[in-house]
Amino acid sequence: MKETGIHPNVSLNKAGIRHTEQSIIKHFSNLFSISFAKSHNFKGAWYNFAFLKPTKELREKYRFQNEMLLIATSYENFDTRTFDYVDKLMFEYQNRLDKLCVILISGDKKIKTKITSLAQQNPETRIIIPFSYIDFFKSKPEQLINQRLKEFFYGRDLFAFESPLQNDAYFYGRTETVQFFYDKYKSGENSGLFGLRKIGKTSVLYALKRYLSLRGENAAFIDCQEPAFHKRRWFECLEFIVNQLLIEVNNSFPKKGNIKLNSNYSEKDASIFFEEDLKKIYNTYKKSRLLLIFDEIENITFDISPTEHWNKDNDFILFWQSIRAIYQKNQGLFSFIIAGVNPKTIETGLINSFDNPIYRMITPNYLKLFNHTNVSDMVKNIGNYMGLDFDEEIITFLTDDFGGHPFLIRQVCSKIHQETSSRRPTRVSKFYYKERIEDFNKHLADYVELIVDVLKNWYPIEFELLEHLVIGNIEEFEKISSLSDKTINHLIGYNLIEKSDNKVYHVKINAVKNYILEHTKIQQSYSRIEDKWSSITKKRNSLELKLRSVLKLSLRFKFGQIKGKSEFLKIVEEKRRERLNILNLNEIFSDKGEIYFLDIQKYISKNWSDFEKIFLDKKKFEIYIDLSNSNRIDAHAKDMNQEDMTITISALNWLTEKCNNFLE
């Protein structure tokens, strides 16, 4: 069966496709099968589009998943509003079309330059393969199509998104969540979305807003993090919201014309004006329920807002009293959704001796992490477009190591893209991943710290609880968690811990677990002598490696390789010095070099001026280094009481921290 050509059921003439566009589509029919075509007017502009079914060869080469959208617009000056129509088609034909790839034919002679620039400015842009109409007046257009496909695939890093996703192209694993909040909106219920930093809350809210827009329903998206919002007083914020809502509906219904809203909201009249203006918008535009979306809600929340009148005064009370009263009086007029990291907004009953207007009005819904299937869909599908073929085991590793946190996983995959061969397609093996996991963790340290800091700053008890679980202080974990269900519920909601079938709690994200292990100030309590040996030995061996690196770098920097070696060997006894003398400086401080903890201690103390800026306090250094060396309980097979254990680990942690500060 022939894989190319125009399907017998498709008539370009009957579809209303103009002669010029027909000619272009026929060139593509030599490489694809044309399965559908149509001409359509969208917001006053004409578009011709077709669906291209890739051949087996093209599917294998570029990993196409479904049919591709070809869209042609003859206007000589390209308008990015074309992408609004692309979004509409992608939504209407979501079961047929590949959501990442679009072939764009434009009357703009500079379209290739413009699309390249757009992709550089906005990494979330779909893979757009641009052609100008004049490209098809040249010889061998099929050859050009192949060249352009190759040029615009593989090069871009489709994983490297720092900002929330603003279209559906790279949006994975959250369809059910969006539908859940849409159902809440349709039934007139208010809702709350909470979760860790970078987990994808704002991306879900953008997707929900798009979902409404494609159905002709209206939402105002309020980013409470914007100073333009949270610096306003509560009554000014109500006016800001209706103006934002009017802008949104005017964009959706440009022919309806503007309506006159109330101006100069005052404290006395703001609630009345807000209700009147919401009704005006509702009655003018389709009479469908309005949705108010408040993202980063912490910024207008008592006690934690960066702005004084929200933090200390009663603006929070008055703002939500107004919204709650109008909501209860006007069923069907609007509903709202609040989102953020901290659900304090709806968990606190009294604020400044006043009842919280939205206390328990909303049940907090926590955004879940990706499961194995979600991770597989995201990593494999995006990877396919970049020519990266991930071993199946890597999906399991990513899910376990990063708990299904989509942002962390994308950053790891971005790093893999940067490090792997530029020749694509290429296979990413499980062996490569396992060899590089420590470097991936270092690469993500700042992001993991951002996630952990949420607990440190807002939920210190929960953070302490998590620390105890990580380091194995189970008795302390159970003691603290028994005081309040809320502490455990927060950690479960944040997807940081889960309970196994045998009712034992575990940390879900290995990257978070490893970060806490490295940075915790809580000391683990041990009952078995073997556990004490293991902890001390591990920390001491790690410290010795770091001290070797500090000493080697200092010698090389001050004396150079050759003289640095001779300077260090002066403190080594003669018999061992002869054996070490045949090695170079790097080898001396490697496994080949027979040097001891005492050698390092002796050299640093003797040459303190070279290390003063690293360890700061000589007396403290000498006490701690002596403790670290003398309390080698593993070497002496002796036990240690909890007090001595705590002191020794504190000494090891202090020395390690000073080494890390120098080596980073």
Side-chain angles (χ1 to χ4, degrees), residues 541-551 656 659-660 663:
N541 289 345
S542 175
L543 172 62
E544 184 169 346
L545 289 174
K546 293 178 188 295
L547 285 168
R548 286 185 181 214
S549 295
V550 168
L551 187 47
T656 299
C659 290
N660 286 339
L663 294 171

Side-chain angles (χ1 to χ4, degrees), residues 268-280:
K268 183 178 66 174
D269 298 321
S271 184
I272 298 170
F273 286 177
F274 186 64
E275 182 178 7
E276 288 178 356
D277 287 339
L278 286 176
K279 287 180 177 178
K280 288 176 189 175

Side-chain angles (χ1 to χ4, degrees), residues 245-384:
L245 186 58
L246 187 60
I247 291 170
E248 295 287 348
V249 295
N250 277 336
N251 287 336
S252 301
F253 302 96
K255 294 182 180 178
K256 284 281 186 179
N258 291 321
I259 58 175
K260 187 174 178 59
L261 298 177
N262 289 297
S263 59
N264 300 319
Y265 277 44
S266 66
E267 290 192 73
K268 183 178 66 174
D269 298 321
S271 184
I272 298 170
F273 286 177
F274 186 64
E275 182 178 7
E276 288 178 356
D277 287 339
L278 286 176
K279 287 180 177 178
K280 288 176 189 175
I281 295 172
Y282 174 85
N283 290 322
T284 305
Y285 299 94
K286 205 179 176 182
K287 292 189 176 181
S288 64
R289 180 181 287 105
L290 306 168
L291 179 65
L292 309 180
I293 301 172
F294 298 95
D295 193 20
E296 303 285 355
I297 195 68
E298 295 83 13
N299 292 276
I300 59 168
T301 297
F302 53 92
D303 294 342
I304 53 178
S305 170
T307 301
E308 185 74 11
H309 52 261
W310 291 102
N311 189 308
K312 300 295 182 187
D313 296 340
N314 292 325
D315 278 47
F316 177 90
I317 299 288
L318 296 167
F319 179 80
W320 287 110
Q321 279 179 344
S322 300
I323 291 180
R324 177 172 180 145
I326 297 167
Y327 168 78
Q328 291 179 330
K329 192 166 47 166
N330 298 275
Q331 288 193 358
L333 178 59
F334 75 97
S335 63
F336 62 85
I337 178 171
I338 61 175
V341 174
N342 193 337
K344 181 184 180 80
T345 307
I346 54 177
E347 290 184 339
T348 306
L350 283 177
I351 307 159
N352 297 338
S353 301
F354 294 98
D355 289 336
N356 179 355
I358 55 173
Y359 175 58
R360 293 191 174 175
M361 185 181 180
I362 296 170
T363 300
N365 296 282
Y366 289 88
L367 190 58
K368 296 184 184 304
L369 296 167
F370 277 13
N371 59 30
H372 185 278
T373 301
N374 301 145
V375 173
S376 180
D377 288 344
M378 178 179 73
V379 171
K380 288 192 170 184
N381 288 343
I382 295 178
N384 279 342

Side-chain angles (χ1 to χ4, degrees), residues 428-440:
V428 183
S429 76
K430 63 181 179 181
F431 305 107
Y432 160 80
Y433 178 90
K434 291 176 80 172
E435 288 170 1
R436 299 288 296 139
I437 183 60
E438 286 191 17
D439 290 319
F440 296 153

Side-chain angles (χ1 to χ4, degrees), residues 10 118 222 235 350 361 498 502-503 579 597 623 627:
V10 176
L118 182 67
I222 308 298
F235 51 92
L350 283 177
M361 185 181 180
E498 65 179 349
N502 58 358
K503 297 184 179 180
R579 295 196 297 269
F597 204 84
I623 292 171
L627 275 169

Side-chain angles (χ1 to χ4, degrees), residues 2-192:
K2 189 179 180 183
E3 286 192 276
T4 59
I6 299 175
H7 193 277
N9 293 336
V10 176
S11 169
L12 298 182
N13 285 324
K14 288 181 180 179
I17 307 293
R18 297 190 319 167
H19 176 75
T20 303
E21 285 78 12
Q22 284 193 30
S23 175
I24 292 172
I25 290 171
K26 285 175 182 176
H27 285 301
F28 280 91
S29 72
N30 293 322
L31 299 169
F32 297 84
S33 171
I34 310 300
S35 58
F36 183 73
K38 191 175 181 180
S39 180
H40 186 240
N41 186 289
F42 176 74
K43 294 185 178 181
W46 278 98
Y47 299 94
N48 296 278
F49 68 90
F51 296 172
L52 312 182
K53 189 174 182 179
T55 62
K56 182 180 178 182
E57 180 186 353
L58 287 175
R59 284 199 305 272
E60 290 177 354
K61 189 173 183 179
Y62 296 109
R63 312 301 177 90
F64 295 135
Q65 303 296 305
N66 295 316
E67 294 168 278
M68 291 181 66
L69 173 65
L70 178 151
I71 188 163
T73 168
S74 61
Y75 301 102
E76 293 183 358
N77 190 16
F78 177 71
D79 190 336
T80 54
R81 284 183 297 179
T82 299
F83 296 138
D84 293 338
Y85 188 49
V86 170
D87 290 341
K88 183 175 185 296
L89 292 173
M90 290 290 183
F91 175 76
E92 291 176 353
Y93 298 98
Q94 56 188 291
N95 294 327
R96 289 185 65 174
L97 290 176
D98 190 304
K99 69 176 186 176
L100 274 184
C101 303
V102 178
I103 292 176
L104 172 65
I105 319 295
S106 174
D108 192 329
K109 296 177 182 178
K110 297 180 179 179
I111 188 63
K112 183 183 174 187
T113 302
K114 289 183 177 180
I115 294 300
T116 301
S117 175
L118 182 67
Q120 290 171 346
Q121 294 169 17
N122 180 12
E124 196 189 330
T125 306
R126 287 184 169 91
I127 300 173
I128 302 166
I129 319 296
F131 297 88
S132 175
Y133 275 60
I134 60 171
D135 289 332
F136 297 93
F137 301 145
K138 301 173 183 177
S139 61
K140 299 181 180 179
E142 285 80 7
Q143 184 177 335
L144 174 65
I145 293 170
N146 273 315
Q147 289 173 349
R148 198 64 55 85
L149 286 171
K150 187 175 181 181
E151 180 181 355
F152 278 80
F153 272 87
Y154 299 160
R156 280 177 56 195
D157 187 350
L158 304 178
F159 286 113
F161 301 138
E162 296 278 346
S163 302
L165 303 176
Q166 298 196 38
N167 67 53
D168 289 324
Y170 305 93
F171 188 71
Y172 288 89
R174 304 295 194 199
T175 304
E176 289 183 8
T177 305
V178 173
Q179 187 64 52
F180 171 81
F181 286 110
Y182 179 75
D183 291 343
K184 287 274 190 182
Y185 151 78
K186 288 298 284 185
S187 62
E189 296 180 67
N190 305 308
S191 48

Side-chain angles (χ1 to χ4, degrees), residues 434-633:
K434 291 176 80 172
E435 288 170 1
R436 299 288 296 139
I437 183 60
E438 286 191 17
D439 290 319
F440 296 153
N441 281 324
K442 289 178 184 176
H443 176 65
L444 293 178
D446 289 344
Y447 298 120
V448 174
E449 183 176 33
L450 185 66
I451 292 168
V452 170
D453 277 349
V454 169
L455 293 182
K456 279 185 182 178
N457 297 333
W458 288 338
Y459 296 127
I461 295 175
E462 283 83 344
F463 180 66
E464 183 184 352
L465 190 64
L466 186 63
E467 284 185 293
H468 284 300
L469 180 61
V470 165
I471 66 176
N473 286 347
I474 303 304
E475 286 185 15
E476 197 66 26
F477 173 84
E478 291 176 348
K479 177 183 172 183
I480 297 173
S481 62
S482 67
L483 299 176
S484 170
D485 289 340
K486 192 182 288 186
T487 55
I488 282 285
N489 291 338
H490 283 154
L491 293 176
I492 293 173
Y494 281 141
N495 299 278
L496 286 170
I497 66 172
E498 65 179 349
K499 188 185 285 188
S500 63
D501 293 337
N502 58 358
K503 297 184 179 180
V504 175
Y505 283 104
H506 301 277
V507 179
K508 289 182 70 173
I509 306 177
N510 286 339
V512 169
K513 181 179 179 179
N514 294 334
Y515 180 88
I516 290 174
L517 275 172
E518 188 173 338
H519 294 86
T520 184
K521 304 298 182 185
I522 294 178
Q523 301 303 330
Q524 186 170 358
S525 57
Y526 302 93
S527 56
R528 299 191 319 136
I529 187 173
E530 292 85 359
D531 294 333
K532 296 177 183 179
W533 293 349
S534 175
S535 178
I536 291 287
T537 301
K538 184 177 179 181
K539 286 180 175 290
R540 189 184 175 285
N541 289 345
S542 175
L543 172 62
E544 184 169 346
L545 289 174
K546 293 178 188 295
L547 285 168
R548 286 185 181 214
S549 295
V550 168
L551 187 47
K552 180 180 69 174
L553 288 172
S554 177
L555 287 164
R556 192 165 60 193
F557 179 76
K558 184 175 182 181
F559 301 108
Q561 289 270 11
I562 298 172
K563 191 176 179 184
K565 181 178 95 170
S566 62
E567 286 293 322
F568 173 72
L569 291 181
K570 288 177 182 178
I571 58 98
V572 178
E573 72 273 12
E574 188 174 348
K575 196 171 184 180
R576 194 157 44 99
R577 190 186 310 153
E578 291 176 4
R579 295 196 297 269
L580 289 171
N581 204 32
I582 62 173
L583 304 176
N584 62 37
L585 186 66
N586 288 331
E587 290 171 333
I588 285 174
F589 288 98
S590 72
D591 293 339
K592 295 180 180 179
E594 186 190 347
I595 62 170
Y596 306 127
F597 204 84
L598 281 173
D599 295 330
I600 300 170
Q601 178 181 354
K602 185 176 179 181
Y603 184 87
I604 293 177
S605 295
K606 189 175 180 181
N607 299 276
W608 178 251
S609 60
D610 295 339
F611 300 92
E612 186 174 11
K613 290 184 179 179
I614 301 173
F615 298 104
L616 307 176
D617 186 329
K618 186 177 183 182
K619 187 174 181 180
K620 195 171 187 179
F621 168 80
E622 289 179 338
I623 292 171
Y624 281 1
I625 200 85
D626 186 58
L627 275 169
S628 301
N629 189 51
S630 60
N631 285 334
R632 294 179 59 203
I633 58 175

